[in-house]
Amino acid sequence: MGTAQDKLVDGLYGLGWAGVKKLPEPAAVALGRRIADFAWKRRGKSVLRLESNLARVVPDAGPERLRELSKAGMRSYMRYWMESFRLPTMDPKRFGTDVEFQDEHLLREALASGRGVVVALPHLANWDLAGAWAIGHIGVPFTTVAERLKPETLYDRFVAYRESLGMEVLPHSGGAAFGTLARRLRSGGLVCLVADRDLSASGVEVDFFGAKARMPAGPALLAQQTGAVLLPATLHYGDTPKMHGRIHPEVEVPRAGTRTEKTTVMTQAVADAFAWGIAEHPEDWHMLQRLWLEDLEDQGERAQ
């Protein structure tokens, strides 16, 4: 049985899915902006954390610039939600016109090789829309992993929503996901993983904007174990309704070193690609949680 708060949260998301998808697109865009601006003006924990994260990404930004970036960041974040609520009702033909990837040929060539492909993305712009693009425009279904959300009914809504777009969604917890992902890759399939925040506390330590952070080892380990092509990808919004992205060059498995050493080198290369995309478009990075080890340690000290 969920708590009253869990039921309220699930009910609100349910209203979003049921209501926003019925709105005309301009009305949904305007609603998203109003909600974002309201949340930004309240200066809650999520907004303050976003500004703290952005301060690492744009170290020369003063308070006024950080506030501008966080306001744009909240608008970008709500744009993600408005788009996501509407995705199941969108014409799949739009994915070829509403989404444009630089170096798309790298993904197509990797898929044609038959080795299997792991695409690793950060929380930039709309990764669900990128997934819908892969299915609707490239014509390739894929498998992904989702964090178990609370309440459980909310997680079920997320899974049902993503599966309605053609994705295979595995739970992050439980330990069986890695084996399933490996099987999909060995059969030449596509796996897409959001990989800029470690949810297991056993990730790989990387240098990220001049400080230490942990990122998931999964993409690098899958590439090593299955021979799949590992491609980082970054996304951003523009001044138009179109979303843009870039497929970065393959992160190859080093020839020498232990598995741990290889994983560290590969994960750092993925982090460097993420950093490039985030630095280019910091307002589209939806990181409203603690990420850097220093911040996580500070949180632990305050909790004692």
Side-chain angles (χ1 to χ4, degrees), residues 70-252:
S70 68
K71 183 175 185 178
M74 292 304 295
R75 287 184 171 186
S76 176
Y77 184 51
M78 287 311 304
R79 176 174 171 176
Y80 161 79
W81 281 110
M82 293 297 111
E83 287 178 346
S84 295
F85 288 148
R86 292 175 54 80
L87 267 179
T89 64
M90 286 176 62
D91 183 349
K93 294 178 181 178
R94 287 186 57 181
F95 301 141
T97 57
D98 287 9
V99 181
E100 184 177 89
F101 268 88
Q102 179 182 342
D103 294 327
E104 175 187 325
H105 67 95
L106 294 175
L107 175 59
R108 290 186 179 273
E109 290 167 2
L111 289 167
S113 73
R115 293 168 53 195
V117 180
V118 181
V119 175
L121 308 97
H123 286 82
L124 273 171
N126 193 334
W127 44 98
D128 285 321
L129 178 56
W133 169 85
I135 295 168
H137 181 62
I138 302 292
V140 179
F142 67 90
T143 304
T144 189
V145 175
E147 177 183 2
R148 280 200 175 276
L149 302 171
K150 291 183 179 180
E152 192 75 11
T153 48
L154 177 57
Y155 171 78
D156 292 339
R157 285 183 185 274
F158 268 99
V159 170
Y161 150 63
R162 286 173 172 150
E163 288 180 342
S164 74
L165 300 175
M167 309 176 192
E168 179 186 21
V169 183
L170 308 175
H172 183 272
S173 59
F178 189 90
T180 302
L181 295 173
R183 287 194 293 274
R184 300 294 182 267
L185 292 168
R186 289 194 182 100
S187 64
L190 174 63
V191 166
C192 297
L193 300 172
V194 180
D196 57 344
R197 179 168 170 255
D198 178 46
L199 297 174
S200 67
S202 60
V204 177
E205 194 171 294
V206 297
D207 182 80
F208 198 54
F209 291 101
K212 295 297 181 183
R214 273 195 300 266
M215 293 192 180
L221 289 173
L222 285 166
Q224 290 177 64
Q225 187 163 315
T226 68
V229 180
L230 173 54
L231 298 174
T234 52
L235 310 167
H236 72 273
Y237 289 126
D239 296 329
T240 68
K242 181 176 289 190
M243 185 180 76
H244 301 269
R246 178 186 175 190
I247 305 295
H248 294 257
E250 177 183 358
V251 174
E252 297 183 351

Side-chain angles (χ1 to χ4, degrees), residues 270-289:
V270 170
D272 290 344
F274 289 174
W276 179 90
I278 293 167
E280 288 285 304
H281 301 279
E283 70 281 1
D284 288 327
W285 190 38
H286 307 155
M287 186 56 64
L288 280 67
Q289 300 86 18

